Amino acid sequence: MAVKQTYDTIMSELKQRKFKPIYILMGDEPYYIDKVSDYIENNVMPVEERDFNQTVVYGIDTNAQQVVDMAKRYPMMAEYQVVIVKEAQNIKNWDRLDKYLEKPLMTTILVICYKNGALDARKKYMTKAASIGVVFKSEKLRDNQLPAFIEAYAREKGASIDNKAKQMIADFIGSDLSRITSEIDKVLVSMKGTTSITPDIVEKGIGISKDYNLFELRDAIVSKDVLKANRIVKYLDNNPKVASIYAFLPGIFSFFQNLMVAHYTDRTERGVMTALGYKSEWAVKDYMRAMKVYSPSKTMDIIHQIRVTDTKSKGIDNPNTSPGDLMRELVYFILH
C-alpha cells in the first residue's frame, strides 16, 4: 500500500535528491502545489542544463498525449529531464498516462499540477502513480491551523511572532496561504533591529488595527465588554476594507461552533485542545473563559442567530437593514 504523502515528506526527499518519476500534485490549496513544483523547477538541475532538459507547459496549450510524448524523451547530456505541466486541470483524458506509467523513464521527472480539484483516485494511472511516485492532495487549512502555519513560516524566515499578532493575521487574511506569506514577507522587510513580529508591527506593516479587529471583538464578546464590542463594531462598519460583515460573520460563527464542541468535551484545557485540534493552551484560553459565560443553550441560540444574520446580509428577508446595523443587532443578541 502506498504511503500517504505530506508536503514535509515530499520536500524532505526532494532536498535529499530522492526524485520520483512522477509527481501528481492536486487539490484546493495552490500554495503547496506551487511550492513543490517551484522547488523541482529551480533545483533539480543547474541552469545551464535547463534549456534542453526542462520543459514547462500549461494545460490550456497542450493535451495528455503530448505530455506523454515529452516524458518519453531522454535527457541530453544530463542526469534528468524535467517536464512540468501547470494548470493541468484544463487537460482531459489523463488515461493516456496508463501505458506510460507501466514502464516510465526513470530519467524523466514528470510533474502534474492539478489545481482546484482532484483526479479520480480510482483510475489505473492514479494507482500506478501512487506506487512508483508521489500523489499529493493539497487541502485548505482549517481556521485553527492558520496560527501554527503563520508561526512556522515566520520561524522559517528567522523570526518569531506574538500570539496575538499571528491571530490578527489569520483573522484578517483567512486561509489564503499565498497572501499570508506575502504579507509576512513585507512585514519582515520593513522590520529593523528586531526579529520579533508584534501586533504593533502587524498594524504598521499590514494595516490591521491592533485595537479594532476580529481578535479584539472576540475578546470583548468573551469578556462581555459591551462598550468595547460596540466600539469595534462601529470601527469595522466605518472601515469595511478592514473587515466587512462578510469577514466578520465566519469568524464569529467558527468561534461559537467550536465553543459548542468544547462544551461537550471533558472541559479541561487538554480536552478542548484535542477536540478542536489546537496545539497550544493559549489557543483555547478564550474557549475556557467563554464556557463560563455562555451556556450550551445560549451558544446554540447564538449560532442560530448568526445564521439568520448571514441570510439577511445576503438580502433575504431584509428590505433595508444595513450591514452595520446587522452587526450591531447580532452583537447585542450575543451579549444580552
Side-chain angles (χ1 to χ4, degrees), residues 82-100:
V82 174
V83 178
I84 299 175
V85 186
K86 297 188 176 183
E87 307 297 338
Q89 66 273 12
N90 291 310
I91 294 178
K92 308 300 181 185
N93 194 21
W94 279 108
D95 290 331
R96 296 298 181 99
L97 284 174
D98 284 350
K99 192 170 182 181
Y100 171 73

Side-chain angles (χ1 to χ4, degrees), residues 113-133:
C113 303
Y114 190 105
K115 296 180 178 178
N116 303 315
L119 290 163
D120 189 344
R122 298 168 296 179
K123 293 287 188 178
K124 181 180 176 182
Y125 64 83
M126 290 290 283
T127 303
K128 189 62 178 175
S131 67
I132 64 171

Side-chain angles (χ1 to χ4, degrees), residues 89-255:
Q89 66 273 12
N90 291 310
I91 294 178
K92 308 300 181 185
N93 194 21
W94 279 108
D95 290 331
R96 296 298 181 99
L97 284 174
D98 284 350
K99 192 170 182 181
Y100 171 73
L101 291 180
E102 289 176 6
K103 195 175 181 180
L105 284 186
M106 302 310 289
T107 52
T108 292
I109 299 171
L110 174 59
V111 183
I112 296 172
C113 303
Y114 190 105
K115 296 180 178 178
N116 303 315
L119 290 163
D120 189 344
R122 298 168 296 179
K123 293 287 188 178
K124 181 180 176 182
Y125 64 83
M126 290 290 283
T127 303
K128 189 62 178 175
S131 67
I132 64 171
V134 168
V135 173
F136 170 61
K137 189 171 183 181
S138 181
E139 297 177 328
K140 289 281 187 185
L141 294 187
R142 299 188 300 274
D143 290 346
N144 62 358
Q145 296 173 306
L146 294 175
F149 172 84
I150 293 167
E151 182 178 9
Y153 185 78
R155 190 187 315 119
E156 179 185 321
K157 294 293 184 176
S160 61
I161 184 165
D162 175 271
N163 282 326
K164 178 179 174 180
K166 63 188 178 186
Q167 191 63 57
M168 284 169 61
I169 294 172
D171 287 340
F172 182 70
I173 297 177
S175 61
D176 186 338
L177 302 189
S178 295
R179 187 179 166 207
I180 286 175
T181 55
S182 175
E183 294 291 350
I184 293 174
D185 288 342
K186 286 197 303 185
V187 166
L188 292 173
V189 168
S190 68
M191 289 167 59
K192 296 179 180 178
T194 180
T195 58
S196 179
I197 303 174
T198 64
D200 285 329
I201 289 173
V202 170
E203 180 175 42
K204 293 174 184 175
I206 301 180
I208 313 169
S209 169
K210 70 178 189 299
D211 298 315
Y212 299 97
N213 54 64
L214 296 182
F215 175 88
E216 291 296 338
L217 178 58
R218 187 163 55 242
D219 178 73
I221 287 172
V222 172
S223 303
K224 288 215 164 186
D225 188 331
V226 177
L227 181 59
K228 178 180 177 181
N230 282 301
R231 281 176 176 168
I232 294 171
V233 169
K234 182 178 180 180
Y235 176 88
L236 297 179
D237 186 30
N238 292 332
N239 297 273
K241 289 184 179 180
V242 174
S244 67
I245 192 169
Y246 306 105
F248 160 88
L249 287 176
I252 299 299
F253 179 80
S254 177
F255 178 79

Side-chain angles (χ1 to χ4, degrees), residues 68-85:
V68 169
D69 291 341
M70 293 174 203
K72 288 179 177 179
R73 294 197 304 245
Y74 287 91
M76 293 181 62
M77 295 180 291
E79 187 178 4
Y80 296 103
Q81 77 137 341
V82 174
V83 178
I84 299 175
V85 186

Side-chain angles (χ1 to χ4, degrees), residues 223-329:
S223 303
K224 288 215 164 186
D225 188 331
V226 177
L227 181 59
K228 178 180 177 181
N230 282 301
R231 281 176 176 168
I232 294 171
V233 169
K234 182 178 180 180
Y235 176 88
L236 297 179
D237 186 30
N238 292 332
N239 297 273
K241 289 184 179 180
V242 174
S244 67
I245 192 169
Y246 306 105
F248 160 88
L249 287 176
I252 299 299
F253 179 80
S254 177
F255 178 79
F256 281 100
Q257 187 179 49
N258 285 344
L259 182 60
M260 181 59 74
V261 173
H263 270 301
Y264 292 96
T265 66
D266 62 14
R267 298 169 66 89
T268 64
E269 283 188 342
R270 183 60 54 184
V272 174
M273 284 170 59
T274 300
L276 299 183
Y278 287 109
K279 296 183 178 180
S280 72
E281 293 178 356
W282 183 89
V284 300
K285 66 179 182 64
D286 282 347
Y287 295 106
M288 302 306 296
R289 293 166 55 208
M291 281 192 289
K292 298 176 182 178
V293 292
Y294 294 101
S295 67
S297 60
K298 177 63 175 178
T299 302
M300 184 59 73
D301 289 342
I302 291 170
I303 290 172
H304 171 72
Q305 193 61 35
I306 293 171
R307 288 180 171 140
V308 170
T309 303
D310 179 58
T311 299
K312 288 183 176 180
S313 74
K314 295 169 182 171
I316 301 171
D317 296 327
N318 175 30
N320 52 26
T321 308
S322 70
D325 286 339
L326 287 174
M327 285 195 286
R328 278 183 280 274
E329 288 174 4

